[in-house]
Amino acid sequence: MDKFIIKGGYRLTGEVTISGAKNSALPLMAACLLTEEECVLEGIPELRDIQTMEKLLKSLGCEVERDSKRLMHLSAKKIINYEAPYELVKTMRASVLVLGPLVARLKKARISMPGGCAIGDRPINLHLAALQKMGASITQSHGYVEVSAKKLRGANIYCDVPTVTGTENMIMAAVCAEGITIIENAAKEPEIVDLVNFLRKMGAKIEGEGTSVIKVEGVKGLKGAKHKVIPDRIEAGTFIIAAAATCGNVLIKNCIPEHLEALEFKLREAGIQIEKYIDSIRVIGNRNIRSVDITTMPYPGFPTDLQAQFMALMTTAKGLSVIRETIFENRFIHVSELKRMGADITIKDRNAIVKGVEYLTGAPVMVSDLRAGAALVIAGLMAEGETEVQRIYHLDRGYESMEKKLSRLGAKIKRVKEK
Ligand code: EPU
């Protein structure tokens, strides 16, 4: 197991280029199951989660190859299997994204039920209820859910809460269903818009992506298409916060500023200077960051995937910051690790109350999930002395070459093998 050793107190300066979005790439790859023809995806990041999805798609009979230009070619001419096994789903919940495409293409799927994970219970009841409304029957046994349908029919679906992968599964199930599907209270995340743009190139008829009502008109079949994944707004947000937290001056290249408006607003409120360009953002930090409150919300609200990183920034801000997590019930595991570094944080229900301290001090800390890990890296960059970040395999799931990108910006960070 690898770990990061970070020597804190160095300003980040220079330029960093953001990779393709993990949470777009995963549904885009799953969507390739919807056609017999070859699809080509550009900008797919090299991440552990992508490897897991690749493994899953291959087990279903889909050929997946990367060429010398870093294009990913996916060809699901013949699907030979309809199961997402426990071994893969337990390492990556997003494996559940093959559910919609498999039911659309084969009229059946067998998916291991994802159990709880570090950040919360994370059920898939809404994914299943939608398929049921479209005519599928659902049975559960031995930890697996089996979905089968004679045919899928368009349906009116209402999501009790906006769910990102749920909306993606519903859209993918509906693209070739008979008739029209309306998804109400759909998630509006940019990754859903990216998926719809790809599906449209494949011949799907969809309207309303990026709004809370999505209309899908079923078509007879889909064809192959080529698509470039959008930049990762969470990776961009993580580097933006890291730059702000180290009083840095960094140009974040290959990002879509419109996708980061909630973060931008909050950083400006905290006194950070932000300059926006067409596809880049410059962040200029300073020593007088003010505490501000945030509440995580579905897009376009403040993303839960940046909550932990923002909390790290607030640990040394001036004043009191109330951080409210409304999406996942258990996404404060980083709090006890940040406290070991000297942060003053109290949890009350879904709120973390962060009282800014003078400085953090380096300590050995343990990563519990991807974004908590990003927060601990940022805290390590801010802290006096050395921080040892353990269990960084969580970071390898979702940040491409994180330590290399940070080193190029002047961070003192190295990866070492844990004994
Ligand atoms: N929910 C239900 N029932 C469902 C589905 C969701 O009650 O059937 C609830 C969840 O428990 C949660 C809320 O709805 O309280 C929203 O969850 P959502 O389904 O939107 O989350 P997700 O689709 O499982 C995606 C991202 C997560 C990100 C969340 C929220 C992917 C692959 N994952 O998860 O990303 O935190 O949306 O924005 O897109 C990460 O990248 O670190 C990560 C965890």
Side-chain angles (χ1 to χ4, degrees):
M1 263 198 287
D2 294 359
K3 64 184 173 189
F4 283 155
I5 305 283
I6 303 172
K7 205 166 153 213
Y10 293 86
R11 290 179 69 217
L12 299 187
T13 55
E15 297 180 357
V16 61
T17 302
I18 299 306
S19 303
K22 165 180 83 79
N23 290 347
S24 251
L26 294 169
L28 291 173
M29 287 170 74
C32 297
L33 291 172
L34 288 163
T35 175
E36 288 175 14
E37 293 182 21
E38 184 187 83
C39 294
V40 181
L41 297 176
E42 192 181 340
I44 301 292
E46 305 243 9
L47 299 169
R48 185 72 65 79
D49 276 6
I50 298 297
Q51 287 168 3
T52 307
M53 181 56 89
E54 216 175 304
K55 215 165 162 185
L56 175 56
L57 294 181
K58 283 180 175 165
S59 76
L60 299 172
C62 178
E63 286 172 23
V64 185
E65 267 169 39
R66 280 190 194 254
D67 68 16
S68 54
K69 293 186 196 128
R70 285 187 56 147
L71 297 175
M72 186 181 266
H73 298 255
L74 301 100
S75 175
K77 208 173 176 65
K78 196 161 185 277
I79 298 185
I80 54 168
N81 188 3
Y82 58 95
E83 179 176 305
Y86 179 61
E87 291 67 43
L88 293 177
V89 179
K90 79 173 181 205
T91 53
M92 184 182 75
R93 305 176 58 83
S95 305
V96 78
L97 281 165
V98 299
L99 175 61
L102 280 178
V103 181
R105 181 98 182 255
L106 298 180
K107 308 290 172 287
K108 62 182 173 184
R110 185 168 188 265
I111 310 280
S112 168
M113 286 291 285
C117 85
I119 61 175
D121 186 24
R122 305 184 71 184
I124 57 163
N125 59 312
L126 301 173
H127 305 223
L128 299 177
L131 288 170
Q132 216 161 11
K133 272 218 126 178
M134 297 175 75
S137 62
I138 291 170
T139 53
Q140 271 185 49
S141 64
H142 307 293
Y144 278 78
V145 53
E146 291 218 26
V147 182
S148 62
K150 282 213 173 67
K151 69 174 173 193
L152 288 179
R153 292 183 307 270
N156 284 349
I157 297 163
Y158 171 78
C159 304
D160 291 335
V161 286
T163 155
V164 177
T165 48
T167 302
E168 290 162 351
N169 255 334
M170 293 171 206
I171 295 171
M172 291 189 282
V175 281
C176 294
E178 193 183 283
I180 290 174
T181 299
I182 309 277
I183 308 166
E184 303 236 19
N185 200 24
K188 296 184 273 202
E189 270 65 4
E191 293 74 20
I192 290 166
V193 176
D194 201 28
L195 172 66
V196 169
N197 284 335
F198 178 50
L199 291 170
R200 220 178 257 135
K201 288 181 193 166
M202 294 171 78
K205 288 192 178 166
I206 307 170
E207 289 169 25
E209 72 281 8
T211 78
S212 55
V213 183
I214 297 177
K215 180 177 165 192
V216 185
E217 194 182 326
V219 295
K220 283 263 175 302
L222 297 184
K223 55 183 191 294
K226 187 174 174 192
H227 187 73
K228 184 174 178 187
V229 62
I230 56 169
D232 196 312
R233 65 194 165 99
I234 305 301
E235 189 200 6
T238 301
F239 277 93
I240 289 172
I241 295 171
T246 57
C247 289
N249 182 337
V250 176
L251 184 67
I252 315 285
K253 289 165 69 176
N254 188 38
C255 65
I256 302 177
E258 193 195 322
H259 292 171
L260 287 152
E261 278 176 357
L263 174 66
E264 178 203 337
F265 189 85
K266 284 293 160 180
L267 287 175
R268 283 190 200 280
E269 205 182 317
I272 308 290
Q273 196 181 328
I274 306 272
E275 292 167 8
K276 288 199 291 183
Y277 304 99
I278 292 169
D279 59 358
S280 62
I281 292 180
R282 179 173 293 283
V283 195
I284 306 171
N286 64 75
R287 296 202 181 280
N288 297 306
I289 297 176
R290 292 185 290 275
S291 293
V292 294
D293 300 340
I294 58 162
T295 298
T296 63
M297 296 287 266
Y299 189 83
F302 193 96
T304 172
D305 289 346
L306 287 175
Q307 176 257 106
Q309 300 90 315
F310 199 84
M311 189 184 297
L313 176 70
M314 288 295 104
T315 55
T316 59
K318 296 201 168 33
L320 206 70
S321 157
V322 180
I323 295 185
R324 188 166 171 76
E325 172 60 55
T326 72
I327 310 293
F328 294 115
E329 66 275 19
N330 198 26
R331 213 173 198 184
F332 281 147
I333 307 180
H334 45 283
V335 168
S336 40
E337 301 300 299
L338 290 173
K339 281 166 81 169
R340 299 190 60 255
M341 298 178 73
D344 182 345
I345 309 172
T346 318
I347 299 179
K348 235 179 163 190
D349 307 322
R350 292 202 152 196
N351 302 315
I353 299 146
V354 188
K355 198 170 155 200
V357 294
E358 275 297 304
Y359 55 86
L360 299 179
T361 54
V365 287
M366 190 116 74
V367 177
S368 55
D369 69 87
L370 175 58
R371 309 305 173 185
L376 296 177
V377 168
I378 292 171
L381 297 171
M382 296 162 70
E384 269 187 8
E386 196 172 276
T387 296
E388 207 182 283
V389 185
Q390 299 173 5
R391 300 202 178 165
I392 57 168
Y393 56 84
H394 289 289
L395 284 160
D396 295 334
R397 292 184 55 178
Y399 288 95
E400 195 175 43
S401 315
M402 187 184 218
E403 75 277 23
K404 289 193 189 118
K405 289 186 181 184
L406 284 170
S407 295
R408 271 184 233 125
L409 293 172
K412 303 288 176 238
I413 177 169
K414 61 177 188 219
R415 178 184 289 258
V416 294
K417 297 260 173 245
E418 254 179 325
K419 283 181 224 105

